[in-house]
Amino acid sequence: TKAVTVTTADDGVYEAPETLTVQLSGATGGASISTPTGTGTINDNDQPPRFSVSNVSVTEGGYADVVVTKTGSTGINATVTYATSDGTATTSNYGAATGTLTFLPGETSKSVSIRTSQNVEFNAPRTFNFTISNPIGASIVTPTGVVTILNDDPAPSLSTMSAYPLQREGGVIRFSVVLTGNPYYATPITVNYSTSSGTATSGIDFTPVSGTLTFNPPETVKDVSVQTTQDAD
């Protein structure tokens, strides 16, 4: 036996198995050739190229930089399209974006900058989606990233006061619950209330009350009435 060694090339391109042949010819010394061709197979050692997109947070009014990453083989061109879509945030809260990203050999990440809107409302964090699709030269492992828009406005505060602090027994004491501070809020605000005894006894000197107040934009004042008891003492 004799060995013929063929050196293969290591590249950064993900590809299917490739083959080569070694051919025998010109035998001398009276020998014949029974199997003139041998086949060698080159198995790829590169990971398949894959796209993924990350989640990101941004304070309202800023730019969200969404990163699309390519992993695995980076030796060939690859493209992927992207588009934004509403979540709890709408296009009044951010600028809609669509397009195509092209990765040249060796490039591993691309970012897309998306503008968000500044407002004066206090609101919970809002989200929208950044989705990649239609890959060429790669597959997709993480198709959607979530962009969270964080509020930067002060929260409103709640306080209570008695509109009529002195009442004759048998009358009604009305308490006003007031939303102060930032008067702009995007979603309903709720607060629980209940009465309790002081020098007056609950259930004897007044009728106990409890419940929940809901402030819907742009409400800032809610009233709670407490009925006092008329007696002969």
Side-chain angles (χ1 to χ4, degrees):
T1 61
K2 291 285 185 178
V4 175
T5 300
V6 179
T7 301
T8 63
D10 190 4
D11 57 29
V13 179
Y14 177 74
E15 53 206 349
E18 299 170 303
T19 60
L20 59 92
T21 60
V22 173
Q23 295 180 329
L24 301 180
S25 62
T28 64
S32 62
I33 299 174
S34 61
T35 307
T37 302
T39 300
T41 301
I42 305 173
N43 293 316
D44 189 53
N45 64 351
D46 299 297
Q47 294 294 318
R50 297 175 295 181
F51 286 122
S52 61
V53 60
S54 61
N55 298 329
V56 65
S57 296
V58 60
T59 302
E60 63 181 39
Y63 284 82
D65 293 321
V66 184
V67 178
V68 178
T69 303
K70 180 187 175 187
T71 57
S73 171
T74 60
I76 58 175
N77 290 346
T79 64
V80 68
T81 61
Y82 65 87
T84 55
S85 61
D86 290 351
T88 54
T90 67
T91 51
S92 63
N93 307 123
Y94 70 94
T98 59
T100 300
L101 298 175
T102 299
F103 288 72
L104 299 177
E107 291 184 324
T108 58
S109 67
K110 298 275 186 178
S111 65
V112 178
S113 190
I114 301 172
R115 177 187 56 81
T116 64
S117 301
Q118 176 72 56
N119 60 36
V120 296
E121 289 183 340
F122 172 77
N123 51 260
R126 296 170 173 169
T127 62
F128 65 91
N129 302 312
F130 184 98
T131 302
I132 55 177
S133 59
N134 303 318
I136 297 175
S139 60
I140 293 177
V141 291
T142 307
T144 301
V146 177
V147 180
T148 301
I149 305 174
L150 304 175
N151 174 73
D152 70 343
D153 301 295
S157 58
L158 291 162
S159 61
T160 182
M161 59 180 291
S162 177
Y164 298 96
L166 297 177
Q167 283 291 333
R168 292 183 181 275
E169 61 182 29
V172 175
I173 299 178
R174 190 176 81 242
F175 293 88
S176 292
V177 180
V178 182
L179 195 65
T180 58
N182 186 357
Y184 303 101
Y185 54 101
T187 56
I189 293 174
T190 63
V191 64
N192 299 325
Y193 67 89
S194 63
T195 55
S196 59
S197 298
T199 55
T201 302
S202 178
I204 297 177
D205 299 308
F206 66 92
T207 301
V209 295
S210 63
T212 300
L213 298 176
T214 300
F215 292 79
N216 292 302
E219 295 175 327
T220 57
V221 179
K222 292 283 184 176
D223 290 334
V224 175
S225 297
V226 180
Q227 178 68 51
T228 65
T229 304
Q230 176 70 56
D231 59 29
D233 293 340

